[in-house]
Amino acid sequence: MIFEFTKTNGDKVIKNNPVYAYINSRVSVPADSLTAVFPSNDNNDYKFVRVIYDEKVIFTGIVDSNKTVINSKGVSQAYQCRSLAGCLLDTQLIPQNIQNITDTIIYHRYLRKYGISVKELSNKPINGVLNVGRGKSVYTLLSTYCKKLFDAEPRINQWGEAVLDGKINSGSFVFTNGYNNLSKNCYSCSEINIENSRYGIIGKVYVRTGVEELGYGLPVINKRADERAIDTVRYLDASAGSGNCIYDAQRIIESSNNNALSLSVVCPCLVYNPLGGTAAVIANGDTYSDLFINGVSYTYTAAGIFTKITMNERG
């Protein structure tokens, strides 16, 4: 595992094979995190870091902190880092109104200065005026744009590239406890966890579309919850001016169904770039298919690299 650190003056410093490294990525969390420990004393002020394993980039980001640890075992240096999305989360915008903002404008004004590229610029505008309130970050602005144009959250990937349309990965992966690498994206696992949960599943959503006096109409039923005798209830105000629509009831149900089945696997190797992809898990003869990969973590020690992948059923 190779770490390429960049000093504040632009000089590069290469460090190899840390004592310990942990990289964690979650679709629901804007910035990936990295913890790395090296058996040395190094007080250099590093700004950026890039991590490479097996000639593949697995992390690009900023160095948040650098801690020297001295104990009976000697001296070590610990680094806490975040992906380049951390720059966008930390940077506050001046309150302003932006007319017909596009991803091209956001890129040239805010992303490029942090070394963030954009996978594909659409130059599509949000028509009208977008108000940027007090205390809003660059990430909030980018997120607002992506939600309005693509109904998706932006993602800054391991190369420092912004994916705006939600299509962060089109790859498919297979994980099994019974076979060894049958194909390029088929991996043997040292551990598989399968969890069925009833918690958080919404059975029905009652929707109000008219004035308050008319109350809430017939519910939108979650068929999967009904099959499991889950009768939890939510109420949604979709009347004029509420900011909601009747279709949000189905979105609430679909989102809750994502909690019904979750799986995690551990592979004693590097599973490269699976976040956001589609997976199938074969465990003791049972097959779980069309799973969404919502989280990936890499753990590196003297024993090598291990990949943990978490998945959920698509709603």
Side-chain angles (χ1 to χ4, degrees):
M1 183 174 282
I2 300 171
F3 283 68
E4 182 185 85
F5 287 95
T6 303
K7 296 181 180 180
T8 53
N9 64 4
D11 290 347
K12 307 287 186 182
V13 174
I14 303 298
K15 293 177 180 285
N16 294 309
N17 300 328
V19 175
Y20 170 80
Y22 179 72
I23 298 171
N24 189 30
S25 305
R26 293 287 179 271
V27 168
S28 59
V29 179
D32 301 343
S33 63
L34 161 67
T35 299
V37 179
F38 291 88
S40 62
N41 185 14
D42 182 357
N43 291 317
N44 282 309
D45 188 14
Y46 297 120
K47 186 176 182 180
F48 296 110
V49 63
R50 185 171 65 153
V51 182
I52 301 167
Y53 186 86
D54 194 24
E55 300 183 347
K56 299 179 178 68
V57 176
I58 58 176
F59 184 88
T60 301
I62 55 175
V63 180
D64 282 332
S65 69
N66 172 6
K67 180 173 70 174
T68 302
V69 179
I70 305 171
N71 56 30
S72 60
K73 297 179 181 179
V75 181
S76 61
Q77 207 73 28
Y79 299 92
Q80 296 291 337
C81 313
R82 286 176 297 158
S83 61
L84 293 180
C87 298
L88 310 184
L89 292 164
D90 293 347
T91 303
Q92 194 175 99
L93 292 170
I94 185 172
Q96 58 187 296
N97 292 317
I98 306 176
Q99 182 78 33
N100 297 332
I101 191 168
T102 66
D103 52 3
T104 304
I105 292 172
I106 295 173
Y107 167 68
H108 286 287
R109 286 186 186 176
Y110 306 115
L111 305 188
R112 186 170 58 173
K113 67 172 71 175
Y114 299 115
I116 298 173
S117 60
V118 177
K119 187 173 183 180
E120 184 177 351
L121 289 169
S122 68
N123 204 33
K124 293 180 179 179
I126 295 177
N127 295 321
V129 176
L130 178 65
N131 175 260
V132 178
R134 180 184 300 176
K136 299 299 182 182
S137 68
V138 173
Y139 181 83
T140 301
L141 173 63
L142 182 63
S143 175
T144 300
Y145 174 85
C146 293
K147 286 178 180 177
K148 287 183 178 290
L149 265 294
F150 307 111
D151 193 28
E153 281 285 354
R155 181 77 195 169
I156 313 299
N157 62 26
Q158 68 265 38
W159 304 288
E161 180 182 69
V163 180
L164 307 183
D165 59 5
K167 300 174 182 177
I168 60 177
N169 199 330
S170 60
S172 297
F173 301 81
V174 177
F175 303 100
T176 174
N177 65 340
Y179 305 95
N180 288 316
N181 297 349
L182 297 177
S183 62
K184 180 180 178 181
N185 285 335
C186 182
Y187 297 89
S188 179
C189 305
S190 57
E191 181 180 322
I192 297 176
N193 296 284
I194 304 163
E195 180 181 358
N196 282 288
S197 177
R198 298 171 63 85
Y199 176 76
I201 300 174
I202 307 302
K204 61 187 70 172
V205 178
Y206 288 91
V207 182
R208 179 165 70 86
T209 57
V211 295
E212 186 173 356
E213 290 76 11
L214 294 178
Y216 290 82
L218 293 174
V220 178
I221 304 294
N222 184 352
K223 293 181 180 179
R224 293 177 62 183
D226 193 48
E227 291 170 357
R228 299 182 65 184
I230 297 174
D231 197 31
T232 50
V233 174
R234 293 291 185 274
Y235 294 89
L236 176 70
D237 180 4
S239 59
S242 67
N244 301 315
C245 70
I246 191 170
Y247 300 107
D248 289 331
Q250 189 60 41
R251 293 192 185 101
I252 290 171
I253 286 174
E254 290 174 357
S255 178
S256 78
N257 285 341
N258 290 339
N259 301 318
L261 176 67
S262 60
L263 295 91
S264 67
V265 300
V266 177
C267 301
C269 62
L270 174 72
V271 180
Y272 187 60
N273 191 33
L275 191 69
T278 298
V281 175
I282 304 170
N284 294 333
D286 295 324
T287 299
Y288 303 84
S289 57
D290 196 28
L291 302 171
F292 175 69
I293 300 176
N294 58 47
V296 179
S297 64
Y298 299 120
T299 301
Y300 178 86
T301 65
I305 193 167
F306 291 81
T307 305
K308 181 177 181 179
I309 295 174
T310 59
M311 297 154 275
N312 62 262
E313 219 173 10
R314 296 180 187 271

